[in-house]
Amino acid sequence: HPRNMGGYGTVRVYDLVVGGGYLYVCWETHMEVYDVGTDVLAAKLVASFGQDQGCGKLELDNGRLYTTKVLGSLLHIFDLSNPASPRWVGGFVPGLGTAELNNMRFVAGSFNVQGDYVFMCYVAVLTNTSSSSGPSYVIVVDVTHPEMPAVVDRR
């Protein structure tokens, strides 16, 4: 039987992922962590925290939780040493600091984590023109050191 775990009126759910006995739910405005233990029907909310414009996609890999924002395409990396209380360890904004991209905001596409690399796609939206979108990119981000993610390829 389906069970309603709660809701926030018009706030959207963008993604969810289950791992290690916890359910991570990515809402438009924040993220929630539920302890699902061995009984999913007895899921208990154990943490809720803001994501500055919410999050768009979640992925678990090797003791880390990865998420993008709904707007901004910022990749957030959380350490899951304590799965009930994810600890932010690093983040990344595509193109920040490069002259060609300084007048753009970024709209997150998809991403996939493979070991120490995150493959991301995003659209750069021009903020200083009437054009609705700029170039699209696929990038590879090295997250060997999650506190300092680094782009190693961009196409």
Side-chain angles (χ1 to χ4, degrees):
H1 300 267
R3 175 178 167 235
N4 183 350
M5 295 180 67
Y8 296 94
T10 60
V11 177
R12 297 181 184 120
V13 173
Y14 282 104
D15 201 5
L16 59 86
V17 64
V18 177
Y22 291 88
L23 167 67
Y24 301 89
V25 181
C26 183
W27 293 88
E28 182 177 26
T29 56
H30 65 288
M31 187 168 19
E32 292 179 339
V33 182
Y34 291 86
D35 182 347
V36 294
T38 57
D39 184 2
V40 175
L41 296 179
K44 176 183 166 194
L45 179 66
V46 294
S48 179
F49 50 97
Q51 275 293 98
D52 185 28
Q53 298 179 4
C55 52
K57 182 180 187 302
L58 295 171
E59 191 165 323
L60 291 173
D61 187 76
N62 199 28
R64 296 181 190 155
L65 175 67
Y66 296 83
T67 180
T68 54
K69 287 174 34 175
V70 174
L71 294 174
S73 194
L74 177 66
L75 178 70
H76 288 288
I77 305 168
F78 293 89
D79 178 337
L80 294 178
S81 297
N82 178 359
S85 183
R87 183 178 60 85
W88 186 87
V89 292
F92 171 75
V93 177
L96 196 63
T98 61
E100 69 186 273
L101 299 177
N102 281 341
N103 293 318
M104 297 182 183
R105 65 181 176 88
F106 304 96
V107 178
S110 186
F111 73 91
N112 185 271
V113 180
Q114 294 293 316
D116 288 333
Y117 297 96
V118 178
F119 298 83
M120 294 180 70
C121 61
Y122 64 93
V123 174
V125 179
L126 303 171
T127 58
N128 60 353
T129 70
S130 60
S131 175
S132 61
S133 68
S136 295
Y137 295 99
V138 174
I139 60 173
V140 180
V141 180
D142 183 339
V143 293
T144 303
H145 304 286
E147 65 283 351
M148 295 178 55
V151 174
V152 294
D153 195 11
R154 182 179 91 175
R155 298 177 192 266

